[in-house]
Amino acid sequence: MYENPDGVMIGLEVHVQLNKLKTKVFCGCTTDYHNDPPNSHVCPVCLGLPGALPVINKKAVEAAIKVGLALNCKVEEHTQFYRKNYYYPDLPKGFQITQYDFPISSGGYIVIEGEDGEHRVGITRAHMEEDPGRLVHEGTIDKSKYTLIDYNRSGMALLEVVSDPDMRSPKEARRYLDKLRNILEYLDVFDGNLEGALRVDANISIMGGQRAEIKNISSHKGAERALLYEIVRQKNVLRRGGVVVLETRHFDEAREITLSMRSKEEAHDYRYFPEPDLVPLKISGWAPAIKETLPELPDARRMRFVEQYGIKDDQAKSLTGELVWANYFEDFLKAYKDEYKEKLDPKLAVAWIEVLKGELNYRDLTVDAFKKEDMLSILELLVSKKITEDGAVDIIRTLLDKGGSPDEIVAEKGLLKVEGDIVSTAVEEAIKENPQAVADYKAGKEKALNSLVGAVMKKTKGRADARAAREVLLGKLG
Ligand code: ZN
Ligand code: MN
């Protein structure tokens, strides 16, 4: 049981940009603006000009319902949009179209790897809203003489996923964000690599104080850092006999500290009222059909991998934790040529995918840097016992660093495994040249055998199979 000594309670509000839709949420402007000049994809609606009328993007509502279902939420009977009134230059019309009562869905949960094993984090609600524009500062925000505004982002469909305050440490908050992103990737509703795809506000309190809301967190690591800082800050305030007040704080990413922005505004400050230009939507009837389109989600896939392929649970967890690797693994098994299918052990494939992941990570590369066919060739060379495991690693590294093909590298580096006579000869020589080790072994020192195996490997330049060499040695030593 995790004791949570400081009584930490963390809840997260995550703004997910549904950026795989073709058009924005209330107008026909494209969502494909990321490589275009600022303010090149705007219209009266997303610029917030007076009198412009919004029209809901049905696909955006469907995507929002899909996410709600995947987060185990109940989809509401009907949903309604509201105006949230506040002034900020990124939203010139003076209000944001968002939701208040009757959000798309509510009452779900996500299972994360918590401080004490599996831990359920409740999802309070998931509601839709429009994204404001993007503010750009020359240099840093506190030194910039002016602010530039790009409204290309304005009007993008957002889904705000609000969690219950169920996370008990910054680590759990990070795990939650990882899991949420993982699920979203499977749903194919957002591209996490695009600017602003996932933005986090964090609410955190410790025992004896009120909560602080931290804004401007742009990464999962940033969330963990901001929360770690905030726990120390709040504890220090209480230790000095002070009061932790309800407030909104800004995370300064460069300095890794949080700074007070303002006392926390409350719902009534925003004068929410129903958006008169959008009718309520009766969505309960949509849910069953959308549920049919839900793909197999990470947890289910992880369980299936363990059952179907007999791999370890932590291997299945690591594979399914990133959609590209889960797909890579299964595509890889399917692509195996018939003649090798018999010998193909999924466990072997996982082990080598893990090696590949490590080598890619070391070089800061993604899976695109390595052809699947090359991995197939390497495993074929391995299962047909033509190369050793060391040889396989050598091929992977050479391919990543210099390119070429597995066959070329095998020929160039002389990686073909040596067997039979060559190994016997090497063993005989090793015995002859290391009388002391032989004597030690015969005197009962088991370890001496390892140095003899080492001598054989050295003579064959690592191309003998260490286990086979050991067998031959044992035979000859009697
Ligand atoms: Zn527009
Ligand atoms: Mn919001």
Side-chain angles (χ1 to χ4, degrees), residues 24 26-30 41-47 151 154-155:
K24 296 184 182 180
F26 298 124
C27 64
C29 292
T30 181
H41 298 294
V42 291
C43 73
V45 172
C46 56
L47 280 174
Y151 291 107
S154 175

Side-chain angles (χ1 to χ4, degrees), residues 15 84 96 98 127 129 160:
H15 287 87
K84 179 185 185 182
Q96 180 189 31
T98 178
H127 70 250
E129 62 190 28
E160 182 174 333

